[in-house]
Amino acid sequence: VPDPIRLDGDAASYDRTIAWKDGAVQVDAKLVLKKRIFPVEAYANLKQVLDSVREERKRTLVLDKVEVQ
């Protein structure tokens, strides 16, 4: 299972966890935009968080069946 992602800044935050729970894969993701209008100083943080979300959407989670003995 991939490690959690946690990004936090003045403009935005993003948290993503993936867990195996009750025989299923559970993906929890939360994007929080902390303002409605962003000052120029917040652009770098906003871009970092949104770029991370974009990259996460491109990822593929591959499941492999494992024999339990």
Side-chain angles (χ1 to χ4, degrees):
V1 178
D3 291 333
I5 293 176
R6 290 187 182 20
L7 299 172
D8 193 24
D10 294 336
S13 64
Y14 177 63
D15 293 298
R16 193 269 300 139
T17 58
I18 299 175
W20 183 257
K21 188 174 183 180
D22 299 327
V25 175
Q26 180 176 336
V27 179
D28 292 312
K30 181 178 180 181
L31 172 64
V32 176
L33 301 178
K34 297 180 178 180
K35 301 176 183 194
R36 292 179 60 203
I37 299 173
F38 298 94
V40 172
E41 305 83 47
Y43 286 5
N45 171 246
L46 183 60
K47 182 177 183 334
Q48 176 193 22
V49 171
L50 294 178
D51 285 348
S52 180
V53 171
R54 186 177 306 112
E55 287 302 312
E56 278 299 304
R57 292 181 58 124
K58 293 179 186 176
R59 293 182 70 191
T60 302
L61 182 63
V62 178
L63 304 177
D64 192 12
K65 189 172 185 176
V66 176
E67 294 289 328
V68 178
Q69 298 188 18

